[in-house]
Amino acid sequence: GVTRLDGALARVEAAALGLLVLAMTGVTLAQVAARYLFGTPLIWSEEAARYLFVWVSMIGAALAVHRGGHYALTALEERLPAAARRVARAVAFVVSAAFLLILFVTGINETRQAHLQDAATLPFRMSLPYAALPVGAALMLAHLLLRAMRR
């Protein structure tokens, strides 16, 4: 049930990350080749690599939530008695969930606003790179909630 859903979501994220990193590497390699082999830099490659990096960061952060890879004060938590440890975990969950919910809502608003602007050198609206914020926040929130349901 919940564990399988969390794992399936993580597999989709890992596949997306692989494709995004491959695209980012290809764009960067093309930029280097164009500049040094042909003497003509690609005007769009730096912008494309930057937007790909934003997507990699947000999806990677979601995958890190799934794997429990984000920074935590476990040394402090381990020193607490069991009851206080449960309270600390609950507080951390609520604060994290609230932050991600705020990031999600703010990201949607910013993405809507960015849709009014074109990318500088690429043929799409700025809502495409900005969409990484609400998508990443939603994925992180999903993993956080699914992890809480497993416990």
Side-chain angles (χ1 to χ4, degrees):
V2 172
T3 303
R4 286 172 62 179
L5 178 60
D6 197 32
L9 186 57
R11 285 190 296 282
V12 170
E13 291 165 353
L17 274 175
L19 292 173
L20 289 167
V21 168
L22 183 64
M24 193 167 58
T25 303
V27 165
T28 304
L29 187 60
Q31 168 63 8
V32 170
R35 182 178 302 260
Y36 292 106
L37 295 179
F38 306 117
T40 308
L42 302 173
I43 60 169
W44 54 268
S45 62
E46 188 267 329
E47 185 180 21
R50 185 177 340 123
Y51 298 152
L52 287 165
F53 183 75
V54 170
W55 275 96
V56 165
S57 298
M58 294 306 292
I59 294 174
L63 195 56
V65 170
H66 166 73
R67 295 180 177 167
H70 283 284
Y71 180 75
L73 295 173
T74 53
L76 176 64
E77 182 183 317
E78 291 168 356
R79 292 187 174 150
L80 295 173
R85 193 175 312 143
R86 284 190 296 278
V87 170
R89 285 183 185 152
V91 168
F93 171 81
V94 169
V95 169
S96 297
F99 171 77
L100 291 171
L101 194 56
I102 291 167
L103 183 62
F104 176 71
V105 171
T106 304
I108 287 174
N109 293 335
E110 292 295 323
T111 301
R112 283 186 183 139
Q113 189 68 25
H115 190 69
L116 303 173
Q117 180 183 358
D118 291 324
T121 62
L122 296 166
F124 54 73
R125 302 265 182 188
M126 286 301 294
S127 53
L128 185 61
Y130 273 79
L133 291 173
V135 169
L139 291 170
M140 285 183 260
L141 191 56
H143 284 302
L144 192 67
L145 294 172
L146 290 169
R147 176 177 284 202
M149 292 169 66
R150 277 199 315 254
R151 287 185 180 166

